[in-house]
Amino acid sequence: MLRRSSSFFFVAGGCTAAKEEKPLRSIERSNTYPSNAKLVSINGGEWRVHSIELDEKMTTPRRSPAVVNVDGRPTVVGGCSAPGANEDTVEQWRDGRFESIDNCRDTVARSCASFCTTSNGRSFVIGGFDGLECLREVTVFDKNGSRTELTPFPSRLKNGAGCVVRGRMEEDDVIVVIGGWDEQRTMRTVYAFPSSSCSSSLPEIVALLPHPLEAHSVVTVEGEGRTDDVIFVFGGYDGITVTDEISLIRVTSPSSSSLPSFSIQVKCRLREARENHTAIYLKEME
């Protein structure tokens, strides 16, 4: 069963049309346990999801930005503010609203990379788009600032989504990359590789989505045990249209394997269909 708390999802930006059109400044907060929420079941327990749009908006429209949790504050980096216009700017939620951080910029104006951070503070940046082509580069940034380039990803990758799930032991965090686009097609693949041996382990395909998906966002919610995490997959583009689906994927770590297995549990919906947005899971927000 998932941990019960006053926690919520934070979904920011995106766009409502294909080809980078109509980027959004809007923010949705999806509460987990209000009495009027939609009820779904995961791992034998109950989970309530109810999404509301906040009055406050980001200072800049952002399609496919990165989002990180800095001292409990949602911090949004980069993305596209208009077709073909990549951003290197950063803004952060402070005192109930987003504020631009003028003295902080990304190293390059980019969008559409898969990204995640492990429990020991290592951040993985996988693929992305540099304005000309999809990328295969996999870069790891340690919390001390050092940078390591890993073996390139098996395919070019834009608009995928990365997350971390827990293995049986603390050092067994597993990097998961879901969906994306390889310059030829929207992908159904779910790749995974162990973070502890990332320099020697190539990503493996561990599951296939029921349909192609790119430009979505994913969030991992930890279960009470190390082997019952759940991945939430929000919205995206299925190769035909922008979707409002929320897929819930159960993660099971078998005792005989270093990589988990994945199964879709249930689906519900966002209030607004969106692609190339960003989501984060927080327990509190001022």
Side-chain angles (χ1 to χ4, degrees):
M1 183 183 297
L2 295 176
R3 297 169 180 165
R4 293 178 177 271
S5 66
S6 57
S7 52
F8 57 88
F9 299 104
F10 180 85
V11 181
C15 60
T16 58
K19 299 182 180 179
E20 305 179 358
E21 297 286 349
K22 299 181 180 179
L24 296 171
R25 294 173 55 216
S26 64
I27 309 160
E28 285 194 38
R29 170 176 172 156
S30 294
N31 297 311
T32 53
Y33 292 110
S35 59
N36 61 342
K38 181 172 180 177
L39 178 66
V40 296
S41 295
I42 311 171
N43 295 346
E46 294 181 349
W47 183 271
R48 297 180 183 272
V49 178
H50 179 66
S51 190
I52 59 173
E53 186 168 323
L54 301 182
D55 291 334
E56 295 294 335
K57 300 183 184 298
M58 293 186 294
T59 61
T60 302
R62 295 180 187 271
R63 169 192 178 273
S64 195
V67 64
V68 291
N69 183 349
V70 178
D71 294 329
R73 300 178 186 273
T75 303
V76 184
V77 182
C80 291
S81 57
N86 286 340
E87 291 283 331
D88 63 358
T89 55
V90 178
E91 52 186 293
Q92 186 177 70
W93 185 267
R94 295 176 175 177
D95 300 322
R97 63 183 181 134
F98 267 109
E99 297 180 1
S100 295
I101 305 178
D102 295 332
N103 61 349
C104 179
R105 290 182 178 268
D106 196 359
T107 55
V108 62
R110 59 179 171 178
S111 60
C112 306
S114 302
F115 56 91
C116 57
T117 301
T118 64
S119 57
N120 62 4
R122 303 182 76 199
S123 295
F124 288 72
V125 180
I126 304 166
F129 186 66
D130 64 3
L132 297 175
E133 62 182 358
C134 299
L135 306 175
R136 294 181 59 205
E137 282 78 1
V138 180
T139 305
V140 181
F141 297 89
D142 290 324
K143 56 186 177 182
N144 62 8
S146 63
R147 183 179 68 184
T148 304
E149 298 291 332
L150 302 183
T151 302
F153 201 69
S155 67
R156 293 185 181 275
L157 182 68
K158 172 187 177 184
N159 288 343
C163 62
V164 175
V165 298
R166 298 175 301 167
R168 295 184 307 278
M169 304 295 290
E170 185 173 354
E171 66 272 14
D172 289 341
D173 280 354
V174 174
I175 309 302
V176 182
V177 181
I178 300 173
W181 185 60
D182 65 1
E183 293 191 341
Q184 296 182 349
R185 64 185 68 84
T186 302
M187 303 162 66
R188 294 177 55 202
T189 49
V190 178
Y191 281 93
F193 59 97
S195 63
S196 58
S197 58
C198 58
S199 59
S200 58
S201 299
L202 294 176
E204 299 179 22
I205 296 176
V206 294
L208 293 176
L209 298 170
H211 55 74
L213 195 65
E214 63 174 290
H216 49 296
S217 64
V218 300
V219 174
T220 302
V221 178
E222 295 181 354
E224 291 182 347
R226 292 195 63 85
T227 61
D228 60 356
D229 292 351
V230 174
I231 299 173
F232 285 71
V233 183
F234 294 92
Y237 180 71
D238 62 10
I240 299 174
T241 187
V242 178
T243 178
D244 62 358
E245 287 184 350
I246 304 176
S247 297
L248 283 66
I249 304 177
R250 181 179 179 180
V251 182
T252 303
S253 295
S255 58
S256 60
S257 174
S258 61
L259 292 178
S261 59
F262 300 80
S263 60
I264 295 180
Q265 295 293 103
V266 70
K267 293 181 180 179
C268 42
R269 296 189 180 277
L270 292 165
R271 287 295 184 91
E272 182 177 14
R274 60 177 72 209
E275 64 157 8
N276 284 293
H277 52 286
T278 301
I280 193 171
Y281 179 63
L282 300 171
K283 294 198 172 178
E284 296 180 0
M285 185 171 74
E286 296 177 359

